[in-house]
Amino acid sequence: MKASRPPTQLTLDLPMPGEGEAPRPERREVEAGVARTEAESPAGVERLMEAICDPDNIEDALKAVARNKGAAGVDGITVKLLPAVLAARWPEIEGRLLTGRYRPDPVRRVRIPKPDGGERNLGIPTVIDRVIQQAVLQRLQPLWDPTFSEYSFGFRPGRNAHQAVARAQAYVIEGYGHVVDIDLAKFFDRVDHDRLMARIAARVGDPRVLRLIRGFLRAGVLDGGTFEESWEGTPQGGPLSPLLSNLVLDELDRELERRGHRFVRYADDCNIYVRSERAGKRVMRSMTRFIERRLKLQVNAQKSAVDRPWRRSFLGFTLRDEPQLRRRIADKAVARFKDRVRELTARHRGIGLERMIRELAPFLRGWAGYFTFSQLREPSSLEGWVRRRLRCVAWVQWKTRGARYRELKRLNVSERLASEAIFSPKGPWRLSSCEAMHRAFTKARFRRLGLPSMEATKPA
């Protein structure tokens, strides 16, 4: 094998270009059949660790971690400090990796709220461990991804949630009008390490890489100063976790394919489409047995159900109960959107309207970028609701009758409309939709203040 460049030649040039975190295979059509099972690359059998430690691969991994930013791990080293720290420590780290002696640090536990009111545990690895995980991912994903099911869409290059939603919609249009919605209870916390390592060992022959991956799984968790050992699960928060989760659930995909089911899976969200409620209940029973007995995972009976697709949501979308079966934004997703906007546009936050819009804009752009996949006009109507929220904020911030009159006149509102508004007995929310406030804050004015449009060309 050609000798790699000395570790000290890492260039660590920032800022980074905007390529993805893993090599992207050639795009395959969503409607394709069962995935091919391809032979592993020789790197999957021998000297894989040398490929992982290749300077170009480490450089790409460093760029990906820096691009994703994120919090520091248990050692307190930040992404900003990472290039200098890695350059200084890389010879020692590389030596430990190549001799199979590298030991990852524990992950730092962070709890984030879930939409249903619960909490999700994230495990934040140190930035150096994130670079190493990313380097492993960059070598394994091109080998493993082509062997995964065509009906799996989560955390895969060239695949996304919109494709999964469109495929689910197509099944319903074809006449599969009942969905078996399977929710896995705390999936990432309950992955069996021995079963997972057995599946990895079937694909990877380098014992150093196997030892490294097991080290990441068993690194433990530091939670508020208390160390907890990791006996099961793949901590969410590291670059390698999504690939490992797909490997675990590929066994579920293959079983569903073997049984001839029409299904869509995105990470641990799995929907199976059948023609009748009776068939759905039979599938739910049999697949629950398979998941709990074979995969050693647990189905959440409270959240799983057999139902009509328009009464369930999938990745933030549902279908409209109509002959066209158009996709729309799920009610829960709209409610979460409004809750977040209310937080950002609270009347008494103590910041000016322009700053409020600057803080609101990134959220609106991200939300609209995803949910304009709807075939209805909810984003457009929600944009009108956001503008009304901001008009209400402006009215409250002007405070006095005199200030409101002066501001309305400054914004080219006629004397008659300004007087009608300031002497109205209505409250701020009702006045936010009056003609005077619409004249003062037009769509064009909001654009000049930086409020992004939530409208987009509708998908076909």
Side-chain angles (χ1 to χ4, degrees):
M1 179 177 174
K2 184 178 177 180
S4 61
R5 302 199 309 266
T8 54
Q9 293 184 12
L10 286 173
T11 56
L12 309 181
D13 51 336
L14 300 175
M16 294 75 175
E19 66 262 4
E21 291 189 12
R24 293 169 62 91
E26 293 184 5
R27 182 180 294 272
R28 299 183 297 276
E29 294 297 325
V30 176
E31 293 80 5
V34 177
R36 305 181 305 279
T37 302
E38 299 180 352
E40 298 288 346
S41 160
V45 179
E46 58 183 12
R47 302 188 67 78
L48 176 58
M49 187 61 82
E50 280 75 10
I52 290 170
C53 292
D54 178 81
D56 290 337
N57 190 51
I58 297 297
E59 183 72 22
D60 289 343
L62 172 62
K63 292 176 181 178
V65 171
R67 184 169 56 246
N68 287 337
K69 302 179 182 178
V74 296
D75 60 2
I77 298 175
T78 63
V79 171
K80 185 176 181 180
L81 296 173
L82 175 60
V85 172
L86 187 63
R89 293 181 54 188
W90 179 246
E92 174 196 354
I93 294 170
E94 182 183 36
R96 289 181 176 275
L97 289 169
L98 293 175
T99 57
R101 295 183 297 111
Y102 185 82
R103 295 293 178 266
D105 288 316
V107 300
R108 182 170 65 87
R109 175 165 289 165
V110 175
R111 294 178 176 85
I112 60 173
K114 295 173 65 174
D116 60 7
E119 288 185 328
R120 185 187 307 278
N121 290 331
L122 292 185
I124 308 300
T126 65
V127 289
I128 290 177
D129 282 344
R130 295 210 292 269
V131 170
I132 296 171
Q133 286 195 36
Q134 180 67 31
V136 175
L137 173 71
Q138 290 167 181
R139 291 305 186 192
L140 293 184
Q141 188 154 34
L143 303 177
W144 294 4
D145 192 80
T147 72
F148 290 156
S149 170
E150 288 292 329
Y151 307 108
S152 161
F153 294 88
F155 309 123
R156 299 182 61 186
R159 290 171 168 261
N160 57 48
H162 288 172
Q163 294 171 333
V165 171
R167 178 69 273 180
Q169 181 186 18
Y171 287 142
V172 181
I173 291 173
E174 289 168 11
Y176 296 87
H178 290 77
V179 60
V180 182
D181 186 349
I182 297 178
D183 182 89
L184 299 179
K186 297 184 178 179
F187 165 71
F188 288 93
D189 297 332
R190 290 178 172 159
V191 170
D192 184 278
H193 286 177
D194 291 334
R195 284 185 54 82
L196 173 56
M197 289 307 304
R199 293 186 66 81
I200 297 172
R203 294 168 176 255
V204 173
D206 191 325
R208 298 167 298 177
V209 177
L210 295 175
R211 195 175 300 119
L212 177 65
I213 294 175
R214 184 175 282 277
F216 283 124
L217 294 174
R218 296 293 304 277
V221 177
L222 199 62
D223 186 1
T226 302
F227 176 78
E228 299 176 10
E229 291 189 286
S230 301
W231 299 105
E232 61 181 357
T234 59
Q236 290 178 270
L240 196 55
S241 182
L243 179 65
L244 298 182
S245 68
N246 271 333
L247 182 62
V248 170
L249 292 175
D250 187 59
E251 191 171 355
L252 172 62
D253 298 339
R254 296 308 178 188
E255 180 65 16
L256 290 168
E257 289 176 357
R258 188 186 68 79
R259 299 185 186 192
H261 289 308
R262 287 155 178 82
F263 72 97
V264 179
R265 183 177 66 78
Y266 189 96
D268 57 337
D269 289 333
C270 183
N271 280 5
I272 307 166
Y273 294 86
V274 296
R275 291 190 182 274
S276 69
E277 182 180 7
R278 182 179 178 183
K281 290 181 177 179
R282 183 175 65 249
V283 170
M284 177 67 82
R285 288 192 299 270
S286 64
M287 293 312 303
T288 297
R289 285 196 301 270
F290 177 84
I291 290 168
E292 295 185 346
R293 296 178 184 178
R294 181 77 170 271
L295 301 186
K296 309 300 182 185
L297 298 171
Q298 185 176 342
V299 173
N300 188 329
Q302 284 70 42
K303 294 184 178 180
S304 302
V306 177
D307 208 340
R308 291 292 202 173
W310 43 87
R311 291 199 287 261
R312 306 293 293 183
S313 63
F314 181 53
L315 302 177
F317 292 92
T318 187
L319 299 179
R320 187 167 180 148
D321 185 10
E322 61 177 13
Q324 295 86 355
L325 291 168
R326 290 177 295 175
R327 57 183 174 267
R328 68 175 182 86
I329 304 172
D331 293 341
K332 288 184 178 179
V334 173
R336 288 195 295 270
F337 169 84
K338 288 189 172 183
D339 286 343
R340 181 58 177 154
V341 171
R342 288 188 184 102
E343 290 177 11
L344 293 170
T345 61
R347 299 178 187 179
H348 305 291
R349 284 191 63 199
I351 62 174
L353 189 66
E354 292 188 20
R355 178 180 167 186
M356 187 175 288
I357 290 173
R358 285 199 303 271
E359 294 181 3
L360 181 63
F363 170 72
L364 296 182
R365 279 193 292 267
W367 196 91
Y370 182 75
F371 282 105
T372 48
F373 191 61
S374 169
Q375 291 175 309
L376 303 182
R377 292 186 57 83
E378 301 108 322
S380 178
S381 63
L382 287 171
E383 183 180 346
W385 177 80
V386 171
R387 289 195 298 269
R388 185 175 179 183
R389 288 281 310 178
L390 293 170
R391 292 185 184 108
C392 183
V393 167
W395 183 263
V396 171
Q397 289 184 346
W398 289 339
K399 295 183 179 179
T400 66
R401 183 174 291 172
R404 288 166 179 167
Y405 182 80
R406 288 192 298 273
E407 288 296 326
L408 288 173
K409 290 290 291 177
R410 183 180 66 83
L411 294 172
N412 298 319
V413 176
S414 69
E415 183 177 341
R416 178 182 64 83
L417 290 176
S419 297
E420 287 179 1
I422 65 172
F423 287 109
S424 172
K426 297 177 181 177
W429 179 246
R430 293 181 67 187
L431 280 169
S432 64
S433 63
C434 74
E435 186 175 356
M437 291 301 288
H438 273 274
R439 294 283 182 90
F441 291 98
T442 62
K443 288 184 181 180
R445 176 167 174 78
F446 275 125
R447 294 289 175 269
R448 290 194 296 272
L449 291 173
L451 188 70
S453 173
M454 294 176 62
E455 298 182 15
T457 303
K458 291 296 167 191

